[in-house]
Amino acid sequence: MTLRPFTVHDQDEFIGLVRASAELHYPYMNLPATPEDFQAFMRRYDDPEAAEAHLVYERETGAVAGYVTLNSIIRGRLQSAAIAYAAFAPFGGRGYMSEGLGLVVRHAFENLRLHRLEAQIQPDNTRSIKLVQRAGFRYEGLAPELLFIDGAWRDHERWVLLNTLGKPHPSLPAR
């Protein structure tokens, strides 16, 4: 597996994958399934200092297996980002997202020099919880009614991975 940034040129392929994967993602997430929703989604990644979006794809075939995003990148004393991801059918459950998530974690810690990554996962989304556990994330607690998904505020577990070996980002205050 390998990564590449998503662009507006990925719209049709992304929307097609989202539609084909609707059953896989329901009720845990609502992904952009129309051109208008995709354009709004992509605007969140206009500022690479605040967020990044990566497609996870097979190197040999170019088939897109999923995506991983880094959202709400915060510098200063926190040096943190929220991480989100989804596999696309028929790639779910085949280990591709474990590899893709690992690549984004390495990028976040080595290149962006973040200290903390946080994944928010609905408690009954066992596949997602197993994915972050395999990546080394630890459970930090429950956040009641954290995100508005599928017409309601949903509880989410907070899973965290810390970069304890990396060199601090220059925006980290000295004191």
Side-chain angles (χ1 to χ4, degrees):
M1 303 310 292
T2 191
L3 300 174
R4 73 170 170 79
F6 321 3
T7 70
V8 294
H9 303 293
D10 295 310
Q11 174 181 293
D12 294 341
E13 181 178 18
F14 188 83
I15 289 170
L17 290 165
V18 165
R19 289 177 179 166
S21 306
E23 189 174 311
L24 179 64
H25 298 146
Y26 183 80
Y28 304 115
M29 58 191 345
N30 295 8
L31 296 174
T34 67
E36 298 77 22
D37 290 344
F38 182 82
Q39 293 302 318
F41 179 77
M42 288 303 295
R43 280 193 293 277
R44 296 192 300 195
Y45 303 99
D46 284 345
D47 179 1
E49 298 293 317
E52 293 185 0
H54 302 273
L55 289 174
V56 176
Y57 67 97
E58 286 185 306
R59 190 176 319 215
E60 295 80 27
T61 67
V64 176
Y67 78 92
V68 183
T69 59
L70 295 169
N71 302 292
S72 305
I73 297 172
I74 300 172
R75 294 298 185 176
R77 296 191 186 282
L78 190 55
Q79 299 296 327
S80 177
I83 194 163
Y85 47 83
F88 292 124
F91 297 98
R94 294 174 61 189
Y96 294 147
M97 288 308 295
S98 289
E99 190 173 344
L101 180 61
L103 291 170
V104 172
V105 165
R106 185 168 0 133
H107 166 68
F109 286 167
E110 292 177 6
N111 300 332
L112 301 180
R113 298 190 337 214
L114 293 171
H115 173 66
R116 176 186 174 92
L117 294 177
E118 183 174 316
Q120 295 96 16
I121 304 167
Q122 291 180 51
D124 61 342
N125 189 346
T126 56
R127 290 175 76 173
S128 187
I129 290 169
K130 288 178 183 175
L131 175 65
V132 295
Q133 287 175 325
R134 283 191 303 273
F137 284 68
R138 66 176 167 75
Y139 177 74
E140 195 169 67
L142 181 72
E145 299 183 17
L146 180 68
L147 297 173
F148 191 79
I149 297 174
D150 195 34
W153 290 100
R154 307 287 179 186
D155 295 351
H156 282 71
E157 293 182 0
R158 298 174 84 111
W159 289 82
V160 173
L161 185 63
L162 300 178
N163 179 7
T164 57
L165 303 175
K167 182 178 177 185
H169 189 270
S171 67
L172 183 68
R175 296 178 183 240

